[in-house]
Amino acid sequence: MDPAPPEEVATPDTSITLQVLLRREWRTPDGVAKALDVLRANGLTPTGSGAATISATIPVDKFEEMFGVKATQVAPQPPDRADFGRSGGYVSPDLKVPDPLVTCVDSISAAPSHSYY
């Protein structure tokens, strides 16, 4: 295996990636479409969706305002002989689903972003 380059090329990370699990009754094509609208209306930017989940980003300051907790930035870790590395991004304590999203969202969590080496 080739060693990882000494530094990765990165852009400033000013947003947090979220994984959103929809409530069961919203797991239909129409429900997902409506949930996407709800997320957008509340400052989240959807980046992908499936039958039961939506990925979205939110600016760091809006995240802290919406969830009432600080996210911790984590640096990426290149792979070495013992593992496959780790993505950088943000981690947070467990998140309470905010009131504007509670009708359609079952759970929500911060997800680390992908690293490219």
Side-chain angles (χ1 to χ4, degrees):
M1 175 186 289
D2 292 330
E7 295 179 5
E8 86 169 321
V9 176
T11 56
D13 199 1
T14 58
S15 63
I16 297 175
T17 303
L18 299 175
Q19 296 299 315
V20 179
L21 177 63
L22 298 176
R23 292 187 173 278
R24 187 168 305 279
E25 61 271 20
W26 286 73
R27 297 178 192 175
T28 66
D30 286 341
V32 171
K34 289 177 186 174
L36 289 167
D37 290 341
V38 170
L39 295 177
R40 285 186 194 101
N42 285 280
L44 283 78
T45 303
T47 59
S49 63
T53 61
I54 296 173
S55 296
T57 60
I58 185 171
V60 173
D61 57 339
K62 179 74 175 171
F63 173 90
E64 292 173 3
E65 178 185 315
M66 180 177 278
F67 296 103
V69 297
K70 276 194 162 297
T72 304
Q73 192 165 18
V74 193
Q77 176 183 327
D80 65 19
R81 293 177 187 238
D83 62 26
F84 294 103
R86 178 186 69 214
S87 296
Y90 287 88
V91 294
S92 72
D94 290 339
L95 301 177
K96 180 180 181 288
V97 177
D99 289 340
L101 308 180
V102 78
T103 58
C104 61
V105 173
D106 192 39
S107 68
I108 193 164
S109 60
S113 60
H114 297 288
S115 295
Y116 300 95
Y117 291 98

